[in-house]
Amino acid sequence: MDKRYLEYILVLAETGNMTRAAQKLYISQPTLSQFLSKQEAAIGAPLFQRSKGIYTLTPAGELYAEYARKVLSLTDLLEKDIRRITNTSCIRIGTSASRSLQLLTSILVDFRRYYPRIELVLADNNLYTISNSISKGELDIAFAAAYSLDQFKGHCIELKKEEVVFAVPSNHTFCKKLDPNAPRILTSSELLKHFGTAPFILQLKGSCIRHLIYNFFEKQDFNPTIVCNTSHAESIRDMVSNNLGVGFIAAGYASPSPNITYFSLSPKLYRIHTIIYRKDLILEAPHKCLLDLAKKHVEANWSNL
């Protein structure tokens, strides 16, 4: 039904007079009268009581008017959302970790089906730089791995916690003495006792895991010997496998290898996969679509983290 016809009934109910209602609607009185007669015939019940030229809603008319208001309200919301979609022509998105970038690229095909005309501008950097870009308004949304969400309260969505494990060459003296059935857990003091003199392969400064590691070391007043800095978890894993040093790896990249022994830390370290958005960003339909697609992808595919 054309929403104008719903307005006919509501205006007639408001004015209580056929002539005034027709004038307010900019239609002729016979047109309004004929519409009302046809509508009542179609419904099978009178919508108004007529008494001395005054129109008063019947119980059926009251119900009709109630639903007419709801339909018009929903129609207004729909039109506003469509205008917002039209106005949101560009979304600036940042990523701060390889898995974050993989998540984003995995959902873009579905996003494009809904919003083929929206331009996406992508930027990849470390957590420090990405969070600064969000706070300055240079990015709208960031798919990131963070060490804490405290600074993003009120404008972030937590997706998944992922443990960070300690990777050691399996031919290390300590590993050779391990009970095969014993749990692979190290406290900070145990780690430093057995591996404090080993060369460390670490993530680049500004990254989430590097921040976690340095907090871990600072509590022990320990300065590691660093032989390599890299942004690639696979590189750290491969170098550990080749006995070039020890390092920390997100659990999702800690694939089994006879050359590597992985330890959980006590207390455990976690990075938090999250979506951060500008504090002043009005989440319109395209933004909400991105967030919903990301959450569904994580639920369906990240159970092993």
Side-chain angles (χ1 to χ4, degrees), residues 21-246:
Q23 290 173 345
K24 193 168 184 178
L25 291 166
Y26 297 99
I27 60 175
S28 67
Q29 181 176 331
T31 298
L32 180 57
S33 180
Q34 288 172 13
F35 163 75
L36 178 59
S37 297
K38 289 179 180 179
Q39 193 66 17
E40 289 179 327
I43 292 172
L47 298 177
F48 290 91
Q49 292 178 342
R50 288 84 161 169
S51 176
K52 298 180 180 180
I54 298 175
Y55 286 71
T56 306
L57 288 170
T58 62
E62 292 283 359
L63 186 61
Y64 186 104
E66 178 185 346
Y67 277 87
R69 294 186 188 98
K70 291 179 180 178
V71 170
L72 290 174
S73 176
L74 287 172
T75 302
D76 288 341
L77 287 175
L78 174 61
E79 290 174 351
K80 287 177 182 177
D81 280 342
I82 290 174
R83 285 196 296 271
R84 287 172 182 166
I85 292 170
T86 304
N87 292 334
T88 306
S89 59
C90 176
I91 303 177
R92 301 164 300 170
I93 306 174
T95 57
S96 75
S98 297
R99 192 170 298 280
S100 301
L101 182 57
Q102 291 168 1
L103 167 60
L104 178 59
T105 54
S106 296
I107 65 176
L108 284 185
V109 172
D110 287 333
F111 179 78
R112 279 294 177 209
R113 291 190 186 125
Y114 296 108
Y115 302 102
R117 297 183 179 179
I118 291 181
E119 178 186 359
L120 300 178
V121 179
L122 307 184
D124 184 57
N125 218 312
N126 60 44
L127 176 64
Y128 176 80
T129 302
I130 288 293
S131 59
N132 277 344
S133 296
I134 284 283
S135 64
K136 293 177 181 177
E138 297 169 352
L139 291 174
D140 301 310
I141 295 175
F143 291 73
Y147 50 85
S148 169
L149 299 185
D150 291 344
Q151 63 178 313
F152 307 118
K153 280 184 178 178
H155 60 110
C156 73
I157 297 173
E158 180 178 327
L159 295 173
K160 186 84 174 181
K161 284 190 173 81
E162 182 180 16
E163 186 180 0
V164 177
V165 297
F166 185 52
V168 178
S170 295
N171 63 3
H172 191 281
T173 304
F174 177 74
C175 297
K176 292 178 179 179
K177 296 178 181 179
L178 289 174
D179 180 347
N181 299 316
R184 301 291 190 263
I185 301 174
L186 287 175
T187 63
S188 54
S189 58
E190 288 171 335
L191 185 151
L192 298 186
K193 176 182 177 182
H194 299 291
F195 302 100
T197 59
F200 279 78
I201 307 156
L202 299 181
Q203 284 78 2
L204 294 174
K205 291 182 179 180
S207 69
C208 165
I209 293 181
R210 181 68 171 252
H211 183 92
L212 286 169
I213 294 165
Y214 262 75
N215 279 352
F216 184 80
F217 286 157
E218 280 179 3
K219 292 177 182 178
Q220 301 299 316
D221 194 23
F222 172 68
N223 290 314
T225 300
I226 303 172
V227 294
C228 184
N229 295 277
T230 176
S231 60
H232 301 290
E234 296 92 340
S235 297
I236 297 176
R237 186 184 61 211
D238 292 344
M239 284 188 273
V240 172
S241 177
N242 288 311
N243 200 28
L244 295 177
V246 298

Side-chain angles (χ1 to χ4, degrees), residues 263-277:
F263 294 91
S264 286
L265 300 172
S266 179
K268 289 186 175 183
L269 295 183
Y270 290 97
R271 68 175 181 173
I272 308 169
H273 294 285
T274 183
I275 302 176
I276 309 163
Y277 48 91

